[in-house]
Amino acid sequence: MAWLYEIGVGKYFNQSQQENNATEFYNYFINYGATIEAICGMLGNITRESTINPGIKQGNSASLGWGLIQWTPSTVLTNWCKSYGYNWYDGAAQCERIKCEGEGTNGANGYWIPTSDYSYSWSEFIALTDVTETTKAYLYERERAGVEALDLRLQYANEWYSYFTGSPVPPIPPTPPLKLKRKMPIYMMLKRY
């Protein structure tokens, strides 16, 4: 397999194309050491941003977003790729850029920004084992798109988890009920009037 791309505005990918590129993305980040949950959290966001088409453009202007995560302005991606000899629409190059942003290396620092609610460092993020948490953390620490389509991003992340594991995301166990400590039998606590 290899990365698929279609350069242009509105070049949305169908399910087969998305699965191809999601597998390429998965292979890159699993070999890097990320958990499947972190990968699926990123893919949930990326599916919403670009349908996993690294050649997609929000518009032809350089001030608009391009690529997997819709780098805005697009020159953030295109100039970085040019300086390292990559084609901007290459999915593998964009994975490298995402990794470098997280690590703050190779001229890609300042893009992974922990928040008060999601204060994970990149190394903590790629080790997380909860799909919902990774989807939200990537949205708030990297995408910074507010709550725009959070439910859709979570849905996509869960679908990618099922796709790669063959099973649904495990439910979050319920909080155990509080055990009341009684010092006297309940009938003694009741008052008769």
Side-chain angles (χ1 to χ4, degrees), residues 105-169:
T105 60
N106 296 344
N109 44 336
Y111 291 92
W112 182 264
I113 303 172
T115 66
S116 58
D117 292 331
Y118 290 90
S119 58
Y120 299 111
S121 67
W122 174 253
S123 59
E124 290 170 330
F125 168 76
I126 65 167
L128 290 173
T129 58
D130 179 283
V131 174
T132 299
E133 189 72 0
T134 60
T135 305
K136 289 178 180 180
Y138 197 77
L139 172 61
Y140 299 129
E141 294 188 81
R142 174 52 188 95
E143 289 293 334
R144 294 180 290 285
V147 294
E148 176 194 334
L150 175 59
D151 290 340
L152 199 53
R153 292 167 194 263
L154 289 168
Q155 175 190 326
Y156 292 147
N158 289 333
E159 289 170 359
W160 288 119
Y161 184 89
S162 294
Y163 176 78
F164 289 117
T165 66
S167 59
V169 174

Side-chain angles (χ1 to χ4, degrees), residues 8-10 49 55-61 63-67 70-72:
V9 176
E49 294 292 328
I56 201 165
K57 296 178 175 183
Q58 189 178 23
N60 288 319
S61 167
S63 66
L64 298 173
W66 290 10
Q70 294 294 279
W71 278 273
T72 306

